[in-house]
Amino acid sequence: MTEIRGFADAADWTEACAQRLAEALDQGAAKQDGLSAFAGAGGSTPAPIYRRLSELRSFGGWQRTLVTLVDERFVPESSPESNAALLKRNLLTGKAGGVEFLPLYSPAITVDRAAALAAHQLAAAFDGRRLDAVLLGMGEDGHICSMFPESPTLKTLLSPGLKPTVLGVPAGRDGRAPSLERLSLNLPYLIGARRVVLAITGAAKRAVFEREAAGDPATQPIAALIAHKVPLEVVWTEA
């Protein structure tokens, strides 16, 4: 199973995550005429990592970096549920202010249309370039990005043979997550990345990761990351 790097102190965990991401972005820039690309998660866990990551790279390095999200709720940035708003508040500040941000959300008539627009925008901006660094979180149900158990889009999101793209994810039914429609990068985006950091906290999340890692790659996202050799680094704190 993929090794879990553990830290007892939350500050050390934050530093370890941010350092890994900054290193991958700088490595990508060195190999691609100074250009690099980053995709980050939403939720509450990444905020301190983003704040530290924004400090670790030079202004010049950040200004030649494309930034997007691994997933987004189908809501505008004015919503408290917006991942874009969280990322902008915590990462795109200071030396990272003014970075080119590629949102997944657009006020399209449907989430699937918004996903198609986002897929086109990312493909044009990346122009064949892979993601250099990706920050993932994980839910207590084992979801990453917006790859939710029992979602009708899960099989497609986890299909390794597709091109990197963005897909719409419907809201769950009968109390199942997600509570809102979402947009998500698919597995091939992660397979092609230079480095993927999965940042998890607490004993419960570690147990979820260990359970999911031994699961079915066709239906369990963590197992899919491992089975398809995503360059995954799991960074955990018990705090």
Side-chain angles (χ1 to χ4, degrees), residues 151-162 165 167 186-188 218:
S151 169
T153 59
L154 182 62
K155 183 177 179 179
T156 306
L157 282 166
L158 293 181
S159 296
L162 299 179
T165 193
L167 295 175
N186 66 345
L187 179 64

Side-chain angles (χ1 to χ4, degrees), residues 61-85:
W62 275 119
Q63 299 314 303
R64 301 204 70 195
T65 301
L66 298 173
V67 175
T68 190
L69 291 156
V70 298
D71 72 333
E72 177 62 287
R73 297 172 179 90
F74 190 47
V75 296
E77 285 185 31
S78 58
S79 168
E81 300 285 347
S82 170
N83 287 342

Side-chain angles (χ1 to χ4, degrees), residues 22-191:
E23 181 182 75
L25 289 169
D26 289 341
Q27 288 174 348
K31 294 182 179 181
Q32 298 174 129
D33 299 323
L35 301 174
S36 59
F38 172 76
S44 58
T45 298
I49 300 171
Y50 288 148
R51 290 192 291 270
R52 180 59 181 141
L53 177 59
S54 71
E55 301 169 345
L56 287 176
R57 304 182 72 222
S58 69
F59 175 83
W62 275 119
Q63 299 314 303
R64 301 204 70 195
T65 301
L66 298 173
V67 175
T68 190
L69 291 156
V70 298
D71 72 333
E72 177 62 287
R73 297 172 179 90
F74 190 47
V75 296
E77 285 185 31
S78 58
S79 168
E81 300 285 347
S82 170
N83 287 342
L86 176 139
L87 187 143
K88 286 185 173 182
R89 286 195 306 270
N90 292 283
L91 177 63
L92 303 187
T93 61
K95 288 183 286 187
V99 167
E100 183 175 359
F101 175 65
L102 305 170
L104 300 185
Y105 171 81
S106 63
I109 192 168
T110 67
V111 70
D112 290 330
R113 177 60 179 158
L117 293 172
H120 178 76
Q121 180 186 31
L122 293 188
F126 291 163
D127 191 24
R129 185 182 304 115
R130 65 176 176 169
L131 288 166
D132 294 294
V134 177
L135 177 62
L136 295 179
M138 183 191 70
E140 292 186 359
D141 58 1
H143 84 267
I144 56 167
C145 302
S146 283
M147 301 171 181
F148 286 89
E150 300 184 37
S151 169
T153 59
L154 182 62
K155 183 177 179 179
T156 306
L157 282 166
L158 293 181
S159 296
L162 299 179
K163 292 181 180 179
T165 193
V166 181
L167 295 175
V169 178
R173 296 181 178 180
D174 301 322
R176 295 193 181 101
S179 58
L180 295 168
E181 292 178 309
R182 295 197 182 199
L183 305 106
S184 181
L185 300 190
N186 66 345
L187 179 64
Y189 259 120
L190 306 181
I191 291 173

